[in-house]
Amino acid sequence: MDAVADLVKVIWENQLTFLFILTRIASFVAALPLLGGGGTPVYVKALLAVGMTFVMFPVVSRQFPPPSPTPPEQISLGLVVQGLLSEITIGMVIGFGARIIFAAVELGAEVAGMQIGFGVANAFDPISNQQVSLMRQIYMAIAALIFLAIYGDHVVLRAMALSFEVVPASGFTIKGPLIEQIIRMGSNIFILGMKIAAPITVALLLAQIAMGVISRVVPQIQVFMFSFPLTIGIGLIVFGLSMSLYVSLLKEQMGGQMERHLADLLMRMKAS
């Protein structure tokens, strides 16, 4: 009880520091790939952000001074608002770096689902709290399991903790190097998404070419009648056969690429 009382006393004496840490962590939690959707209750995100702040505060507060350690009556409101906006931006940028791979998975799953013919077959997704395609549900569930299995959440949390050492409490502004890195990472969404959808897309393209040739060579065969079930069957078979490639690709991206992307973002923010 004495330790808790001492912690509360220190927090009360360093209210601005606690507020800045809480703001950065709260914006980070809001942007996390598995918690940022509408399916996670707001109070769960709030409790998680407050809990992480209490855990990090004793360590971070020593190297994370508020913008003005003066008495409350002498604190500049404009400086505090600038610092809060800076913290929100930092947390959102780190969350964006962690969300890149999942955005690519969503894109690849949508493309694959459209190619197979599941574009109108939707199911309720509790994570995003909306109707999504069946293929997206499957791809995202596998991606979430891989993310947790290879301790991707540890990588993201380490980046969050490291940001307090690299990026100061106030004075952060978005500049050229950071914008270039964000644009570069955004372009990787389309590249990775196409890699995920490539096996199904290529297989179905070849199948459509083959059916077109058959319809020309043997006009009596009603290709249109069996093209839909054949497309779905081929798509599902290729999906099952390419699952090992999908898992290997995500392991590579979540294991090494994500950590490098987050480190690059932190370095760009430090340079800013």
Side-chain angles (χ1 to χ4, degrees), residues 10 38 46 61 86 94 133 223 227 271:
V10 173
S61 59
S86 174
I94 298 174
S133 66
V223 177
S227 62

Side-chain angles (χ1 to χ4, degrees), residues 105-117 133 193-194 197-198 200-201:
V105 170
E106 292 177 357
L107 175 63
E110 291 291 345
V111 173
M114 290 291 294
Q115 295 296 323
I116 293 177
S133 66
M194 291 302 101
I200 293 177
T201 302

